[in-house]
Each structure stands twice: as C-alpha cells, then as structure tokens.
Amino acid sequence: LIAQVNSMRNEFDRILAQLVNARLLHRDDIEGQARYELVHEYLTTEIVKWIDAPDREFKRAEELLKSELANWRSYQHLISLERLELLYPYRERFKGLDAEDWECLLRSAIEAEDQVGDEYTGADVTDWVKVVRDIDDLLLFKAIVEPFIADLQDHDYSVRYNAAKGLGMIGRDGDIHTAVNPLIAALQ
C-alpha cells in the first residue's frame, strides 16, 4: 500500500512539474508547503470538467460497490445483474478489496451468467476472474479460492457446479493444483 501511495505521489509530482513547465500552473513555496495556482482563470472550468466527470462516475461505482458489499457481509445477498453491469466497467480499478469482497463479486457474476446464459455480456464472469487471476498476493488469491473449495462439498448440485466452474476459471498456471486437487477429492 505504501509503495502504491508513493508511486501515485511520484506520478502526481511529475504531472505538476509538467504543468509548471508548460506555464499552466504557478508554484509558490509558503512556509515550506508547495502551493499551486492556475495561471489562466479560464482553464479552471475546463480542468474541473475534465477531471470531475470520470472521477464522479468512478466514485458512484465505488459507493455502489461498498453498499453491495455491506449487503453481502450482513445478509449474504449477491449483487444483482443490473448492479453488476454498472460496476463492470470499473472492475480493474477497484483496489484494496479483500477475499470476502472478491468472493461476493465472483459468486454474483457466476449467478448472473447462469441466469441469462449466452446472451449475457455485461458482467462476464471470465472478465471478473481475470482481475482475480492477476492478483499478485498469493495469500489473498488462496483466501478467494477457499470458499469455492468448501462449496465442492455442498449437498446442492448447483452450488457444487458453480464452485467447480469458478475454480476452473480462477486456476492459474502455477496455482492450478489449488483448484484441481480439491475438485478431484470431492468427486471421489
């Protein structure tokens, strides 16, 4: 997390330096603090439009996700198809999600895909799974997979089916045993 913050800070400082060099911003150091001011007042309106529209949309999606995850944590309610479709364009931007959050998103996407079948394009499970598959944190990855492994023992066929489907998609080349070994054990 610290590395991400430092990386973002370095990028932000680089962008500010470019804007100062382009003479769009003026920098003053007041009491050891850098202060920036737009050189041309008319840029304020344009910059606010440029920055705020996408940020507002993402913020709305983030708030929706927080609300849906609170429902999941409290009541185990999956995210509806309509709401998954609203979240879908931002799936790769959601950071800091834990294993329970990802479990909710994956189970919701699997359920949504099962409900609508081949016509479903909004929250394609494979796209949600790609984000999970690319998680570098092995402990988080294993924590995401564990509930699906546990579901392989469920008495309900559809629960077992969805667990096997999810595990099959989540399995990574180096971690495929994480998904395959419990599946084989459950079938024996």
Side-chain angles (χ1 to χ4, degrees), residues 83-95:
R83 292 186 177 202
L84 270 178
E85 288 176 334
L86 293 172
L87 296 171
Y88 182 77
Y90 306 100
R91 68 193 175 283
E92 294 183 10
R93 289 184 62 190
F94 294 129
K95 304 293 181 206

Side-chain angles (χ1 to χ4, degrees), residues 19-164:
L19 293 172
V20 169
N21 289 339
R23 297 185 178 164
L24 296 173
L25 286 181
H26 175 72
R27 177 187 166 139
D28 281 326
D29 288 316
I30 301 172
E31 298 177 12
Q33 293 285 335
R35 309 264 183 202
Y36 294 90
E37 181 181 357
L38 284 172
V39 174
H40 305 286
E41 193 62 39
Y42 75 91
L43 290 175
T44 304
T45 306
E46 293 304 313
I47 290 174
V48 166
K49 285 182 200 172
W50 174 65
I51 291 175
D52 285 345
D55 287 343
R56 278 194 313 263
E57 290 172 20
F58 177 66
K59 190 68 176 163
R60 279 189 218 119
E62 236 178 2
E63 292 302 318
L64 174 62
L65 179 59
K66 284 180 187 177
S67 172
E68 293 298 317
L69 292 174
N71 283 332
W72 168 256
R73 290 179 191 277
S74 297
Y75 309 109
Q76 298 294 295
H77 288 173
L78 295 175
I79 301 171
S80 71
L81 171 65
E82 295 79 18
R83 292 186 177 202
L84 270 178
E85 288 176 334
L86 293 172
L87 296 171
Y88 182 77
Y90 306 100
R91 68 193 175 283
E92 294 183 10
R93 289 184 62 190
F94 294 129
K95 304 293 181 206
L97 300 179
D98 65 18
E100 189 175 7
D101 299 341
W102 280 112
E103 178 188 357
C104 173
L105 283 164
L106 291 175
R107 287 185 187 279
S108 299
I110 289 169
E111 179 66 26
E113 185 180 66
D114 285 347
Q115 287 175 359
V116 294
D118 294 337
E119 308 94 45
Y120 187 47
T121 58
D124 186 7
V125 174
T126 57
D127 288 340
W128 285 101
V129 170
K130 284 176 195 172
V131 177
V132 171
R133 205 177 311 148
D134 292 339
I135 291 174
D136 290 331
D137 183 342
L138 184 59
L139 291 176
L140 176 59
F141 179 76
K142 286 183 177 182
I144 293 167
V145 171
E146 284 173 3
F148 290 92
I149 292 171
D151 283 352
L152 292 173
Q153 302 297 324
D154 198 277
H155 295 292
D156 184 342
Y157 170 78
S158 65
V159 171
R160 291 192 314 271
Y161 173 81
N162 283 340

